[in-house]
Amino acid sequence: MTTPPPAPSRRTLLRALAVLPAAAVLLGETPGLLGTALAAAPAAGSASRYTIVPFLNSNDGTVNVYQSDDATDFRLLQTSAYTPPANRIRDASVFKHTDGYYYLTYTTHTWQDVSTTIGFARSADRLNWTFLYDYAVPITNLSRAWAPEWFVDADGSVNVVVSCSTTDNEWIFTPYLLTATNSALTSWSSPIALSGIGANHIDTFIVRIGSTYHAFTKNETAKYIEYGTASSLTGPYTITRTGDWAGWGSYREGPALVQLDNGGWRIFFDGYGDGSYYYSDSYDTFATWTTPAKLPGISGTARHFTVVKETVSGGPGLTRNATRSFQSANYTTRYWEEQSALLNLPVVTASSATADKQAATFTVVAGLADAGGYSFRDASGNYLRHWDFRGRFDANDGTTTFAKDATFIARTGTASGSVRFESYNYPGRYLRHYNYQLRVDLPDGTDLFRQDSSFVPVTAWA
């Protein structure tokens, strides 16, 4: 069982209470931690899959492959999945092409060396990669071509945005656009500088929403990630957010964005100044962002990556309006059981008392707050919900808050047939056991946490 995250100090809580509305205190969650976003997932039988292929803080000669179903808890799939035949691999960007293959493009040399090429590799399964070629970027007097980033436009055109400097000033970078001129991605247009972003910007990452292009780019002088928009991919971009506009801090680089299942946008960035990797979310088209958090498990290991998101078959699903018991995936003699209105994980066997078997049996119903999720009802009609992040059973009071507290999103568990349950109104927190008590906690990136939060729906005890 993993160690629970540290609780806020009493002083911190008191300060938060002083400014929190009284109604919020009555909701039962710790001040300052009230959920704002809501979790979501694809339909039953499907799952989201987020893949990253980062180079390593300890080794820029190879990349690992990780995947996640929630864009937070990334699990290692393959170590040293790809090592180029020569040179290095840094700043690897990944996408899935219409031919069904996954493609990498990457920086081919260390930061100290002249680097006039970008590399390309391909994989059918994300685990086994084949080197394709190194492409010499055709810019006169090129000194360095760094951090190539894939961008697929609405018309299906495949592009790479690459940061380039020339020999007259090798540390002043400008973003250039390369557009594939064939479907095999072996031929490219002449580089076009992105207008409006200006010199001395690096690691430019672009997303398109509607007819607007949104660029996130590191100002190499100020060391902040800036933001601008344009109506054309090549610009002109207008930079409207500078300095610490999003609260991410300085000495940040390698921004990469992906849209989450709940409609929000998540940015990942390399906090190279403090050796950590962060993520932050926006739910208002990039106007405001959540406080950056370190990626569990891979922060300090993974460096400069992008994310490819897919919807795949085989996701978890539960039969609704049916009774089930829930067996711990890593303590297989232990089951969910309601004890004094709290959800615990005691041993339950065929010789257990009838009352214990009944208390370990629950009706699975559609989520009270979202029919795509799940809620769990005991024999007396009370629902499992979280209160101060502890699992407990209460009568449905009809409030929106209760419905959200009592709704969980199913994610794939670690053992065959197992499921993890993500809090609906505290995305990223999972129902897990600690000291055989069920609570809603943030993952720490370990396999043990994933096991502690995995449960197998089985035939009901009663």
Side-chain angles (χ1 to χ4, degrees):
M1 293 171 290
T2 46
T3 304
S9 69
R10 182 174 181 272
R11 178 175 293 180
T12 298
L13 295 180
L14 289 174
R15 286 176 176 171
L17 280 167
V19 298
L20 200 67
V25 178
L26 296 177
L27 297 182
E29 305 296 0
T30 7
L33 298 176
L34 291 171
T36 52
L38 301 174
S46 298
S48 290
R49 185 172 73 189
Y50 303 84
T51 301
I52 62 174
V53 189
F55 81 98
L56 309 179
N57 192 47
S58 60
N59 184 359
D60 66 356
T62 191
V63 289
N64 289 349
V65 179
Y66 300 83
Q67 80 172 36
S68 171
D69 57 3
D70 63 2
T72 303
D73 185 19
F74 283 90
R75 314 177 193 193
L76 179 64
L77 282 186
Q78 183 70 48
T79 60
S80 300
Y82 171 65
T83 301
N87 304 317
R88 319 307 293 167
I89 177 168
R90 300 172 65 89
D91 316 328
S93 180
V94 61
F95 94 112
K96 188 176 184 180
H97 195 20
T98 53
D99 62 5
Y101 284 92
Y102 300 86
Y103 287 81
L104 288 180
T105 183
Y106 53 91
T107 304
T108 57
H109 291 76
T110 67
W111 67 270
Q112 299 100 325
D113 297 334
V114 171
S115 180
T116 60
T117 60
I118 56 176
F120 291 88
R122 186 176 75 171
S123 173
D125 60 6
R126 300 175 299 145
L127 303 181
N128 302 284
W129 294 84
T130 300
F131 171 74
L132 295 178
Y133 60 96
D134 285 340
Y135 177 70
V137 180
I139 293 177
T140 302
N141 298 322
L142 180 64
S143 174
R144 286 168 172 81
W146 282 3
E149 314 279 6
W150 294 109
F151 174 76
V152 180
D153 211 340
D155 61 2
S157 62
V158 178
N159 306 271
V160 170
V161 179
V162 59
S163 302
C164 296
S165 68
T166 51
T167 53
D168 57 336
N169 200 330
E170 61 183 349
W171 302 117
I172 300 298
F173 288 86
T174 298
Y176 284 83
L177 183 75
L178 306 172
T179 301
T181 57
N182 65 358
S183 61
L185 309 183
T186 57
S187 179
W188 299 90
S189 67
S190 297
I192 300 174
L194 298 186
S195 172
I197 292 179
N200 214 28
H201 285 82
I202 195 170
D203 299 351
T204 300
F205 190 94
I206 296 172
V207 297
R208 178 175 175 170
I209 301 177
S211 60
T212 301
Y213 296 87
H214 303 258
F216 295 78
T217 183
K218 179 195 177 188
N219 184 314
E220 189 59 33
T221 300
K223 310 301 183 186
Y224 289 107
I225 295 172
E226 299 181 341
Y227 166 76
T229 58
S231 58
S232 169
L233 176 56
T234 55
Y237 288 84
T238 301
I239 301 295
T240 57
R241 298 289 186 270
T242 60
D244 195 17
W245 65 279
W248 300 327
S250 60
Y251 290 88
R252 306 296 192 238
E253 65 183 16
L257 283 83
V258 67
Q259 191 165 28
L260 303 174
D261 288 337
N262 61 8
W265 285 88
R266 174 161 294 179
I267 188 171
F268 301 90
F269 54 85
D270 191 340
Y272 68 100
D274 56 29
S276 301
Y277 221 99
Y278 293 93
Y279 68 94
S280 177
D281 299 340
S282 177
Y283 294 91
D284 52 12
T285 317
F286 314 138
T288 60
W289 295 83
T290 60
T291 300
K294 294 180 182 180
L295 269 176
I298 64 172
S299 179
T301 298
R303 295 293 308 277
H304 196 143
F305 58 77
T306 66
V307 186
V308 59
K309 179 185 179 183
E310 304 169 83
T311 299
V312 297
S313 61
L318 291 172
T319 302
R320 294 179 174 87
N321 301 314
T323 56
R324 291 290 184 269
S325 292
F326 292 88
Q327 180 186 44
S328 167
N330 57 344
Y331 288 82
T332 55
T333 61
R334 293 180 176 271
Y335 296 78
W336 289 9
E337 183 177 331
E338 181 182 355
Q339 296 178 325
S340 301
L342 297 175
L343 184 60
N344 295 325
L345 197 74
V347 173
V348 181
T349 68
S351 59
S352 294
T354 299
D356 287 321
K357 293 179 180 178
Q358 291 174 338
T361 297
F362 307 94
T363 301
V364 180
V365 298
L368 297 183
D370 186 333
Y374 298 90
S375 293
F376 306 93
R377 192 173 60 221
D378 68 11
S380 63
N382 292 332
Y383 287 87
L384 171 65
R385 55 87 63 92
H386 59 82
W387 177 280
D388 283 339
F389 302 118
R390 181 73 163 89
R392 57 178 285 166
F393 288 84
D394 286 314
N396 184 0
D397 62 11
T399 64
T400 300
T401 296
F402 185 95
K404 292 177 179 178
D405 285 354
T407 299
F408 298 86
I409 300 298
R411 305 284 188 189
T412 302
T414 57
S416 177
S418 68
V419 183
R420 302 172 74 202
F421 295 104
E422 182 182 13
S423 168
Y424 179 69
N425 54 345
Y426 287 80
R429 285 183 175 264
Y430 286 84
L431 194 64
R432 56 77 66 97
H433 64 81
Y434 181 78
N435 284 341
Y436 306 125
Q437 298 177 345
L438 276 292
R439 51 182 294 116
V440 175
D441 279 342
L442 289 168
D444 60 9
T446 65
D447 286 336
L448 183 55
F449 183 98
R450 298 178 191 117
Q451 293 164 6
D452 285 351
S453 58
S454 296
F455 304 93
V456 181
V458 296
T459 303
W461 278 110

